[in-house]
Amino acid sequence: MSFEDFRASLLNADQRAALGIQLSDADAQLVVADPASAQNWYGYWLSTLPQTPPPPAAPAPAPQPTPAPETTQQPAPSPEPQHAATLPYEAPPAPFPGDVQQTLPIHDTAVHDPQQPTAYAAASPYPDYAASPAEAPAKKSRVGLWVTLSILFALILIAVLVVVFALVTARHWVKTDVAAQPETFHSEEYKTGSYDVTMDTVDPCWVDQDWTDCINAMAAQYDANCAGVTLTDTATSLCSDYLAEIDRMRAEDTGDFIVATLGGWGSLHRTEEVSTRQVSNNDDKPAVTHKAVCYLGFLGECK
């Protein structure tokens, strides 16, 4: 079988089994893809084939007897013993492809048939396995690293997007820690600065009194209670009527009148006006608040 036919046979599982090559489909594809590995396997397969013994050598012709001299007849020298035809040498199988280290012999008591090829394929998955670097595991390691980094980057990106969205959509509000205390008041009396004037039933005049003296007595009542001060509305009305009566009596005074009868005017009394007002207790207190922030509707301080 040629080398190219051997390479093509490696891709078929049945043909590999017939050739005695123990490789998986994946390993066989790697061997076919690498010419050097395929050449090693091809050499290994050739070494496992039974060696065809060479044809036996023809017997050497018997040497012609040398004529003896006439004087002396010596016996002909006996021909050198010819070696028997050597048996064909059974070459040991070629070492396993890619096996560069000397393998210690394994003592086995079982008798091996030299015609059966020794199976070395189980020593390594494909030729040059021990010499070539393990590229497949390295590639798998790099792929796993990239997958891990990609997942980590995606998680970091998602976290950043969530934080940015939370900051943009955050709701700021004022939270009341302690409610405000309203102001309270109390009532108190105070002087308004105005005066109230009342009149009793005691007339400042009397019967048979000089008219002018009666006028002067009433004027004294007016001056003592109504003049020079701020009057309440009631007091202003009373004092105005009282003054009008005094002016009427003065108009009628001729100097010789006497009081015949007493009228309805009495004596005046002035008192300072007192009112009531509400005064603050100055006990109001503002509310205690602070600025609160709510993120995503449930993080932070939310209502």
Side-chain angles (χ1 to χ4, degrees), residues 69-114:
E70 296 179 356
T71 57
T72 305
Q73 183 176 1
Q74 296 181 353
S78 61
E80 295 181 1
Q82 297 293 329
H83 294 284
T86 58
L87 296 175
Y89 177 70
E90 184 84 16
F96 180 73
D99 190 2
V100 295
Q101 297 181 355
Q102 183 177 0
T103 305
L104 294 177
I106 299 176
H107 298 282
D108 192 356
T109 57
V111 178
H112 295 282
D113 187 357

